[in-house]
Amino acid sequence: MAKPMVATERRADDDRFRALLDAAVDAIVLIDGQGLIARFNHAAERLFGFSEAELQGRNVSVLMPARIAAEHDSYLERYQRTREARIIGIGREVTGQRRDGTQFPLELSVGEFRHADETGFVGILRDLSERVQQREAEAAARREIDELNASLAHSGRLNLLGEMASGIAHEVNQPITAIAAYAGACQRLLQSGAIEVAELRDVLDKIRAQAERAGQVINGLRVLARRQEPVQLRVNVNRLVNEIARLMDFELRASGWRLVFDLQANLPAVNADAVQIQQVLLNLVRNSFEAMLEQAHGDSVEISTAAAVGEVRIRVRDSGPGVQPAFRKRLFEPFQTTKDNGMGLGLSICQSIAQAHDGRLSYVDDGRPGACFELRLPVASD
Amino acid sequence: MTTPTVYVIDDEEPIRDSLALLLKSVGIASRGFSEAREFLDAYHPDWAGCLLLDVRMPHLGGLELQQDLNRRGVTLPVIFMTPHGDVSMAVEAMRAGAMDFLQKPFKDDELLRRLQAALAHDARERERLQQYENLRQRVETLTPRELEVALRIVAGQSNKLMAAELDLSERTVELHRAHAMQKLEARSVAQLVRMMLDVDTPPAT
């Protein structure tokens, strides 16, 4: 009587075990030491599209894409031999293959079980399709946001351009108007024979100068309109400043101007587009020399650097008479200029570059003589 | 009166210089000013010709200058140079009483054509003003009685009616009438009527 009793108990255990497996939300696959499928729960049936009856006794590799399936037996064999777990007790993301051949990502965790003389492995599988799709959607959204930001930054610059568009038209139209008038005059004067060669040559020089001026306006704009993202890297401000001297070497020697440096050692680094910051500094230095030349006052420009709280400060100071207080507040507006031939865009472009670096360009009156411009850039965070 | 001249007001030297040469090439006198204030300080009522103004200039802009000129009774026609495509500024300029506007950059032929039209307009206006001034001076030489009679002629009164209303003899009325016509240099009653109406409405400035 004992025997049927055991058999009944055993069947009862078995049923309970099966019910347990089928109740699990995750797919569960039991295989023996050779990789043959012993149990395949309801969740697994739903996931792969196979029924348990179809799979029992078949190699588990039927659930894998061909390239993995081919290796699976050798993985098992190696594990039996070396007991070196690559996946067992660890879990990883793998690719499964459904009955219809479609493949999908799943998270697989594998445990080894030993019961009486039986050994085998239990694999718990969780469908990752949704999670992967979500991850891909997130990545796509992030890319989209990045693109949007880039185009926003671009349209920000375009906006700046838009604001200045009427002024720019004026700046380009002025030299073109002069060129057209000069040329028209020459034609008429030549026709009536009322112009001397010397005068003609003089007018041609003026035409060329105006054409160059129009070209400068366009060049100034190109810097602004460039879609290219500024490349901001950690830079040493003192090194940038020293390069200015090298860049201006020829101009300085030709003109007899002097550039003086007062650089604080061990400045913290800033995040900056080196080329743009140098453009700002070059512009400030050239402005200074031009202003001094025009006012026939002074011949040297001092560049100093210093660390302030969370910032690095660069000052460009000339030895001229300084900027009239009345003009100071309009210095950074487009098309404000005291120069006879300037287009008045320089400082407003410089200011927008400073702002793109979360910095600020300002006119400083510290009681010392000379015009002094200050560029402040935030210290790079580590 | 001075030679008709184009007064160029533009803050940029190359514009003034090139326009001066262009005007010289067609035999038009010109004079340049770097800002409106400079022009106003130099201005003399005798000046004839026209103004060529950049609408956007530092300090006193072109439009403000136009208003200032209107206030001062300066009648020189004004042509504005406006930025290309800036319709609102052009409209504003015309509203402020500009005669014309040109968008920079402009063709030299176009500029010269408009300037010549402005110069001709100014000459005509000056001529009309001169005639009005002459007429006004002639009317001022009339005695009160002669003026009374002239006005009644305009109103269509007959000598007889005038004589009755003014308590004069018809002969005396005829005498005043003859004197008035003579002084005004009117060859007919119709002409006298027109003169009296003209002098009542000075030319628009």
Side-chain angles (χ1 to χ4, degrees):
Chain A
M1 285 302 285
K3 211 173 173 184
M5 180 67 187
V6 169
T8 316
E9 267 177 30
R10 189 146 176 187
R11 196 176 306 119
D13 273 355
D14 209 48
D15 286 348
R16 202 175 299 132
F17 180 50
R18 177 178 301 277
L20 203 66
L21 285 182
D22 286 341
V25 174
D26 292 331
I28 299 174
V29 181
L30 263 54
I31 59 171
D32 65 14
Q34 278 69 54
L36 304 180
I37 293 172
R39 289 287 169 84
F40 199 69
N41 76 346
H42 281 348
E45 288 178 328
R46 279 195 299 275
L47 187 57
F48 286 93
F50 287 108
S51 70
E52 185 176 37
E54 278 179 286
L55 289 183
Q56 266 174 339
R58 288 184 63 183
N59 195 302
V60 72
S61 62
V62 72
L63 301 176
M64 306 168 192
R67 67 193 152 79
I68 307 170
E71 303 289 315
H72 194 254
D73 283 350
S74 67
Y75 294 157
L76 271 178
E77 188 271 327
R78 187 179 56 214
Y79 175 70
Q80 309 278 21
R81 187 158 39 83
T82 63
R83 311 303 292 175
E84 185 192 320
R86 299 263 175 113
I87 184 167
I88 293 156
I90 300 168
R92 64 158 69 153
E93 228 178 281
V94 298
T95 304
Q97 182 168 303
R98 297 190 189 91
R99 181 180 196 165
D100 63 11
T102 54
Q103 298 178 2
F104 63 103
L106 51 85
E107 187 185 86
L108 168 67
S109 55
V110 180
E112 187 178 10
F113 69 86
R114 291 171 186 281
H115 178 67
D117 53 344
E118 259 184 285
T119 70
F121 302 94
V122 55
I124 298 176
L125 305 95
R126 188 168 291 168
D127 188 357
L128 289 183
S129 304
E130 257 178 51
R131 210 187 298 172
V132 167
Q133 271 168 14
Q134 203 178 338
R135 217 155 43 198
E136 277 166 5
E138 274 169 19
R142 225 178 351 255
R143 268 197 306 279
E144 206 172 316
I145 288 169
D146 286 349
E147 278 164 21
L148 215 62
N149 275 336
S151 75
L152 260 181
H154 177 57
S155 71
R157 281 194 294 278
L158 281 184
N159 244 342
L160 182 67
L161 275 179
E163 283 164 22
M164 302 195 302
S166 73
I168 287 158
H170 181 70
E171 287 306 312
V172 179
N173 283 341
Q174 291 292 88
I176 291 176
T177 301
I179 289 169
Y182 279 133
C186 284
Q187 266 177 340
R188 289 181 167 79
L189 290 169
L190 281 170
Q191 213 150 27
S192 58
I195 189 165
E196 299 291 323
V197 172
E199 195 187 352
L200 188 60
R201 194 178 294 136
D202 185 45
V203 178
L204 285 175
D205 271 344
K206 290 173 178 173
I207 289 178
R208 196 183 49 199
Q210 292 304 308
E212 278 166 10
R213 191 181 138 206
Q216 277 167 11
V217 178
I218 303 299
N219 279 339
L221 290 180
R222 205 169 291 151
V223 176
L224 262 181
R226 216 168 37 169
R227 170 147 191 173
Q228 193 180 317
E229 278 301 292
V231 189
Q232 296 205 355
L233 298 169
R234 292 171 72 86
V235 295
N236 178 329
V237 167
N238 285 344
R239 192 178 53 76
L240 287 189
V241 171
N242 279 319
E243 277 174 10
I244 300 286
R246 200 168 44 73
L247 287 168
M248 292 198 72
D249 184 53
F250 177 77
E251 275 171 75
L252 292 171
R253 272 188 297 143
S255 59
W257 288 331
R258 285 183 308 122
L259 206 49
V260 184
F261 296 98
D262 178 13
L263 309 182
Q264 183 184 315
N266 303 322
L267 279 182
V270 298
N271 271 332
D273 184 320
V275 174
Q276 288 195 346
I277 295 302
Q278 277 179 338
Q279 276 175 346
V280 171
L281 295 177
L282 274 174
N283 202 308
L284 292 177
V285 171
R286 291 210 173 103
N287 265 351
S288 298
F289 281 126
E290 279 165 21
M292 289 190 296
L293 190 67
E294 243 161 54
Q295 285 151 332
H297 188 308
D299 67 347
S300 70
V301 167
E302 179 195 87
I303 305 183
S304 61
T305 59
V309 181
E311 288 179 321
V312 170
R313 209 182 64 192
I314 311 163
R315 286 186 173 179
V316 176
R317 179 195 307 279
D318 69 20
S319 51
V323 176
Q324 294 293 318
F327 200 70
R328 282 178 199 168
K329 65 178 193 313
R330 292 164 65 201
L331 268 175
F332 299 99
E333 290 172 19
F335 311 110
Q336 295 298 330
T337 182
T338 56
K339 289 191 271 177
D340 286 345
N341 274 313
M343 58 178 180
L345 268 180
L347 282 176
S348 73
I349 291 178
C350 288
Q351 180 67 280
S352 50
I353 291 176
Q355 282 163 356
H357 284 80
D358 298 322
R360 212 176 111 73
L361 179 65
S362 51
Y363 184 83
V364 181
D365 184 3
D366 57 1
R368 287 180 55 193
C372 180
F373 287 88
E374 181 182 81
L375 174 64
R376 284 169 175 268
L377 294 172
V379 166
S381 50
D382 292 310
Chain B
M1 208 187 332
T2 54
T3 318
T5 301
V6 175
Y7 300 94
V8 181
I9 311 181
D10 195 303
D11 56 322
E12 291 208 21
E13 193 273 335
I15 298 287
R16 298 196 302 273
D17 186 56
S18 59
L19 292 178
L21 190 67
L22 181 64
L23 290 166
K24 185 184 133 189
S25 76
V26 291
I28 298 176
S30 75
R31 194 166 157 186
F33 299 90
S34 66
E35 55 174 307
R37 180 66 46 209
E38 204 186 313
F39 170 79
L40 287 172
D41 288 347
Y43 177 74
H44 191 277
D46 266 359
W47 286 5
C50 71
L51 270 169
L52 183 59
L53 265 188
D54 191 340
V55 82
R56 44 183 303 164
M57 280 188 295
H59 314 302
L60 186 61
L63 290 172
E64 291 95 318
L65 173 63
Q66 166 87 71
Q67 283 153 11
D68 210 347
L69 292 174
N70 292 347
R71 266 200 303 280
R72 292 176 184 221
V74 176
T75 57
L76 292 173
V78 175
I79 296 182
F80 273 107
M81 296 181 277
T82 63
H84 181 78
D86 195 332
V87 178
S88 65
M89 229 170 215
V91 168
E92 193 68 30
M94 296 306 283
R95 195 171 287 154
M99 179 181 163
D100 208 346
F101 69 92
L102 274 164
Q103 298 199 327
K104 273 185 185 175
F106 38 72
K107 289 191 179 129
D108 53 353
D109 297 344
E110 190 65 18
L111 173 72
L112 293 173
R113 202 171 58 70
R114 311 269 188 112
L115 283 177
Q116 268 148 355
L119 291 176
H121 176 80
D122 184 56
R124 266 197 315 278
E125 283 302 301
R126 266 165 212 285
E127 175 65 24
R128 227 155 57 81
L129 206 64
Q130 193 57 51
Q131 282 174 1
Y132 172 75
E133 194 52 36
N134 291 342
L135 179 62
R136 201 182 54 79
Q137 281 171 11
R138 287 196 300 259
V139 170
E140 275 179 0
T141 63
L142 299 182
T143 63
R145 264 295 185 235
E146 287 162 359
L147 184 62
E148 182 71 51
V149 169
L151 290 173
R152 281 169 187 267
I153 295 170
V154 174
Q157 286 190 6
S158 65
N159 287 354
K160 196 172 186 168
L161 184 58
M162 273 187 255
E165 286 196 6
L166 297 172
D167 197 18
L168 298 169
S169 70
E170 260 187 72
R171 175 85 188 102
T172 311
V173 169
E174 261 166 34
L175 211 61
H176 284 317
R177 178 176 182 140
H179 281 156
M181 300 232 344
Q182 198 180 9
K183 284 180 174 175
L184 293 175
E185 296 166 27
R187 285 184 300 275
S188 65
V189 170
Q191 204 177 4
L192 178 132
V193 169
R194 202 173 61 237
M195 282 175 174
M196 291 310 289
L197 289 176
D198 278 353
V199 85
D200 202 38
T201 50
T205 53

